[in-house]
Amino acid sequence: MYKNRKAIKALLAFYAIILIVMICRAPSFFTFENATDILLNTSTTAIAAMGMLCVLLVGDIDVSVGAVLAACCTTTGILAKAGLPMIVVILGSLAVGLLLGVVNGLVVTMLKLDAIVATLGLLSIYRGLLIIITKGSWINGLPAGILKIGQGKWFGIPIPVYISIVIVALMWFILNRTEWGRNFYAVGSNKDSARLSGINVKLTRIIAFAVCGIMVGLAAVIYTTRFGGIQSNTGKGWEMTLISSAVVGGASTVGGEGDVAGVFLGALLVSALGTVLVFFGIDALWEQAVQGLIIFISVASYAIDFKKVKAKLTKGGRKA
């Protein structure tokens, strides 16, 4: 939890610096429309990042989430165009996300494969199957009614923002107030100790992957209805966005550490960087490199134990 507090403090400090610079350099950045646009961009990332947090907490990682997003988006589009009720469309996307999440969990746990290697292979399988199913064509022409989920507003605020707030609150409750949440932390901290305490480690890891799949399925509904068109390579590279959001927010890649608030702030940072860079007039060709540098700096700012560094420098100075 110490790392989580350091991550949140580092992120808040980083936000403060950005805000001060933006006030001085680009005061037009601070508009209600721009704020809601950033929150809208953050909504899908934040929802799916909550699922990635669960996987990271148990000591695993899922790099197939981009392909899972594409599969769920494709499902949403096909069901919506078939004229099915909105609730069926949503449940269909969640079901596909759940199914692929369970498959990921079973492959990793039952075959005892490294999570990165296993989900990387599954990513290619999912992508290949999608291309076969869709024949590489776009899915367009979604009914206007379903588009309200991603494009509608309540009191001037996009509906996806409300959905993301509800999901973040729900995930906070699950991870902090339920047995599932305690099991995630326990398994990630020490699998042997968790097993000895009566926790079904394999089942807990599978559940974490399943939750991740469901969260991606929900994000896919928002993604599809927001843009109104889906292509087979949707979500390409999205896994790095989710992993970055979680790690920047203080989640450990070796398990046992992570916090909902930190991951949400991480998702907000990763999602807002593009808009900030536009206001700074930075060429789009540099955007990914600048984002990577900022993420590296933000992680390093709480990963390095400055007390130990200071002690070593002081000790070295005394010897001299």
Side-chain angles (χ1 to χ4, degrees), residues 75-305:
T75 301
T76 301
I78 292 174
L79 294 179
K81 290 190 68 175
L84 295 173
M86 184 183 296
I87 185 64
V88 176
V89 175
I90 296 172
L91 291 176
S93 180
L94 295 180
V96 170
L98 171 62
L99 174 62
L100 297 183
V102 170
V103 169
N104 291 348
L106 287 172
V107 170
V108 171
T109 57
M110 298 304 178
L111 299 182
K112 298 181 180 179
L113 298 176
D114 179 80
I116 293 180
V117 175
T119 54
L120 185 61
L122 289 167
L123 180 151
S124 298
I125 293 173
Y126 298 154
R127 287 284 181 197
L129 290 174
L130 275 176
I131 293 174
I132 293 172
I133 293 170
T134 63
K135 297 180 181 179
S137 60
W138 283 60
I139 297 177
N140 291 312
L142 271 63
I146 195 73
L147 295 179
K148 292 180 181 179
I149 298 175
Q151 300 176 10
K153 292 184 177 182
W154 290 336
F155 306 105
I157 298 176
I159 291 176
V161 175
Y162 292 103
I163 297 174
S164 64
I165 291 173
V166 170
I167 293 300
V168 169
L170 177 63
M171 289 306 299
W172 180 90
F173 177 80
I174 290 174
L175 293 179
N176 291 277
R177 294 289 185 270
T178 69
E179 186 177 353
W180 275 12
R182 290 190 293 271
N183 289 350
F184 287 163
Y185 283 101
V187 169
S189 297
N190 191 311
K191 289 182 175 60
D192 292 331
S193 296
R195 188 177 294 106
L196 292 172
S197 64
I199 297 174
N200 188 326
V201 173
K202 287 185 178 180
L203 179 60
T204 300
R205 294 170 67 191
I206 293 172
I207 290 174
F209 277 101
V211 172
C212 184
I214 292 172
M215 291 297 104
V216 173
L218 179 58
V221 174
I222 296 173
Y223 190 99
T224 306
T225 56
R226 180 184 172 192
F227 297 107
I230 295 300
Q231 53 188 137
S232 57
N233 67 347
T234 294
K236 188 175 182 179
W238 202 49
E239 55 277 352
M240 292 311 300
T241 299
L242 299 189
I243 294 170
S244 297
S245 299
V247 173
V248 167
S252 172
T253 55
V254 296
E257 286 209 62
D259 180 78
V260 168
V263 173
F264 176 78
L265 290 175
L268 181 61
L269 174 62
V270 171
S271 301
L273 278 178
T275 304
V276 172
L277 294 178
V278 168
F279 274 86
F280 275 113
I282 297 176
D283 194 295
L285 294 174
W286 287 90
E287 182 175 324
Q288 188 172 358
V290 174
Q291 287 182 347
L293 177 61
I294 293 174
I295 290 169
F296 174 79
I297 293 173
S298 63
V299 172
S301 66
Y302 66 82
I304 297 173
D305 193 331

